[in-house]
Amino acid sequence: MIASGIVLGLVLRLFLQAHVSADVGFRFASYIDDYMVLQREPAGAVIWGYGAPRATVTVTLCREQEPIMKKVTSVKADSNTWTVVLDPMKPGGPYEVMAQQSLGRINFTLRVHDVLFGDVWLCSGQSNMKMTVSQVFNATGELSNTTAYQSVRILSVSSTQAQQELEDLTKVDLRWSKPTSKNLGHGNFTYMSAVCWLFGRFLYDTLRYPVGLLSSSWSGTPIEAWSSRRSLEACGVPRSGSMPSDLQTGPSAHSVLWNAMIHPLRNMTLKGVIWYQGESNVNFNRDLYNCTFPLLIDDWRQTFHDGSQGQTERLFPFGFVQLSSYLFGEALNDGLSQIRWHQTADFGYVPNQRMPNTFMAVSVDLCDRNSPFGSIHPRDKQTVAYRLHLGARALAYGEKLIFQGPLPQKIELLADKGLLNLTYSQPIKVQRRDDKIFEVACCSDRQCEWLPAPMDTFSTQTLALSITSCHDSPAALRYAWTPWPCEYKQCPLYHPTSTLPAPPFIAPITNLSPGYHSRTAK
């Protein structure tokens, strides 16, 4: 009897150990949770997590407690992870996702409920992306406007950094949630991004199906922190000797935010990304931004495509905000203009051959000199988000609409009349005449000086500039090439129906479009 009792106790202990071992670590990835949005058709959503090595995991998608899809996989012994790709789903919901792990006779079950299928957008950048709805114009009205948008779900990643690429997020500030005045207005620069939320809200008004928004941003951070080591090396970014600028208050070390806040999301199936960053690079590796930004886009696209097993499009839509105006020291005058230009890979417009399938919200006319958060943080995030969503509708959803303001396609020198004649690719609205916003480079003996080129006559698609002040050879032309080109929504040139401002540009006077030989005009 004693021996049989010992054997029974040993068997029981082994059974309990196996039970505990099978249960340890069985979980969904950090961002797979109640209220989430999964990417709709034509892509398949990726569901993944952690489990016991060699265990079988069955993932079931249910609608009103009825199974409609089942996927079976096993836990990889080398990483303790499991992954399934769901069949493409039409937008809608709610659904329940159930994962069951089986190891021998031991089963464990996980569930997440109120899951929707729609379009998933990742929002990233620095403080202008980090600003919350409580910090924008008409904050009270915006915070109360959530009832109609319960199918727009939000998640905010915690501000963390890491020296190596992480497999999963270490922390989430705001788990997948329905929007409320509390989680949208949770203090300053905390929780949910206003630009991200407003962008998603505008999209929902058009799409009328669920939208998922992930905010992963950190104030005062340069692009180097958000880039992988491989992309920085490809651009020749120096590893040492770079001193942070005055506009950096967050981490600036190479790849630390990529490692902790972007790479862990790579398995997620995305529709696209929007980005608002660049202020911290005005005086920090500024001349490399025309490489680091396009390569960040390329690298993110490849990483999310591979991580999602090909479900995220290889050239998924990538939108960004061209930096607004702000008041700062004289040393930054040309730096801010150059960063705006470098944001387009020195073309002045997107998409272009360096930056395919991208869209840009021009914000040089959205200045805010009275912002309580400093002029570098303008409060009109509604117009920023609206302009971004126009680009998304055109590039990501194939709508035929205007999403960028007018740029000249031809610059003609009429020397006998003392004029430059600009022909635009779109109709233009001259909101007001400005004698200083256009400047011409007058050159002699390799010395050049930028002089004002006052606006003269104009028509539906042409504009003449006076260059009588240039007594030498006019070599180049630039527009809105200052930190503060105009007052709020008072730049001189807009598209007549879309209220989109003409973007800044610099171009040689060769009768070619801005950006064609832009690197020759400095």
Side-chain angles (χ1 to χ4, degrees), residues 106 164 218 258 292 311 340 372 380 389 400 445 477 487:
I106 305 168
Q164 301 295 329
W218 193 325
W258 157 263
T292 51
Q311 298 303 308
R340 289 179 183 139
D380 183 358
H389 112 283
K400 294 188 181 300
D445 299 328
L477 180 70
E487 293 304 316

Side-chain angles (χ1 to χ4, degrees), residues 120-134:
V120 182
W121 287 83
L122 171 62
C123 313
S124 188
Q126 55 180 110
S127 54
N128 271 304
M129 184 63 85
K130 192 77 171 175
M131 285 178 72
T132 64
V133 179
S134 62

Side-chain angles (χ1 to χ4, degrees), residues 284-488:
F284 185 57
N285 290 333
R286 178 180 64 234
D287 293 340
L288 293 174
Y289 204 89
N290 57 3
C291 180
T292 51
F293 185 41
L295 257 65
L296 175 142
I297 296 172
D298 290 346
D299 190 58
W300 284 28
R301 283 171 166 169
Q302 188 66 60
T303 299
F304 277 91
H305 178 73
D306 293 343
S308 65
Q309 300 185 27
Q311 298 303 308
T312 297
E313 290 182 13
R314 173 62 184 85
L315 293 178
F316 62 72
F318 195 109
F320 63 95
V321 182
Q322 190 178 48
L323 297 186
S324 187
S325 303
Y326 58 89
L327 302 170
F328 215 81
E330 289 294 320
L332 297 181
N333 276 359
D334 197 50
L336 182 55
S337 301
Q338 289 186 37
I339 280 289
R340 289 179 183 139
W341 187 245
H342 292 336
Q343 285 182 290
T344 67
D346 298 355
F347 282 82
Y349 59 88
V350 294
N352 57 57
Q353 58 254 46
R354 287 279 308 283
M355 301 172 67
N357 211 30
T358 58
F359 55 95
M360 173 175 71
V362 177
S363 67
V364 293
D365 65 331
L366 302 181
C367 49
D368 186 1
R369 65 174 70 243
N370 297 316
S371 172
F373 314 105
S375 63
I376 197 171
H377 298 120
R379 289 167 288 175
D380 183 358
K381 295 297 191 275
Q382 292 91 335
T383 303
V384 170
Y386 178 77
R387 291 174 181 175
L388 275 173
H389 112 283
L390 289 179
R393 286 169 61 184
L395 268 294
Y397 299 99
E399 289 192 53
K400 294 188 181 300
L401 49 78
I402 300 298
F403 64 96
Q404 187 165 281
L407 270 170
Q409 64 181 0
K410 186 168 66 172
I411 302 173
E412 293 180 283
L413 174 61
L414 306 178
D416 57 331
K417 298 180 180 179
L419 295 174
L420 279 178
N421 194 61
L422 279 59
T423 302
Y424 282 81
S425 58
Q426 308 173 26
I428 60 172
K429 174 187 176 182
V430 178
Q431 183 163 274
R432 63 178 181 84
R433 293 177 183 270
D434 191 304
D435 291 340
K436 297 181 179 180
I437 200 164
F438 283 97
E439 296 174 291
V440 61
C442 292
C443 302
S444 64
D445 299 328
R446 299 185 181 179
Q447 296 294 318
C448 294
E449 180 182 9
W450 288 101
L451 298 175
M455 297 168 60
D456 198 278
T457 58
F458 59 89
S459 66
T460 305
Q461 286 189 234
T462 65
L463 172 65
L465 305 175
S466 172
I467 57 170
T468 55
S469 63
C470 180
H471 303 297
D472 298 308
S473 299
L477 180 70
R478 66 188 189 185
Y479 173 77
W481 204 265
T482 68
W484 198 282
C486 62
E487 293 304 316
Y488 179 72

Side-chain angles (χ1 to χ4, degrees), residues 244-258:
S245 74
D246 293 338
L247 299 178
Q248 289 180 6
T249 58
S252 61
H254 287 192
S255 309
V256 291
L257 304 184
W258 157 263

Side-chain angles (χ1 to χ4, degrees), residues 406 426-429 460 494-500:
Q426 308 173 26
I428 60 172
K429 174 187 176 182
T460 305
Y494 287 81
H495 185 274
T497 59
S498 66
T499 68
L500 294 173

Side-chain angles (χ1 to χ4, degrees), residues 209-229:
Y209 59 70
V211 176
L213 303 170
L214 294 94
S215 176
S216 184
S217 52
W218 193 325
S219 301
T221 51
I223 195 170
E224 290 77 6
W226 296 101
S227 303
S228 71
R229 287 188 175 91

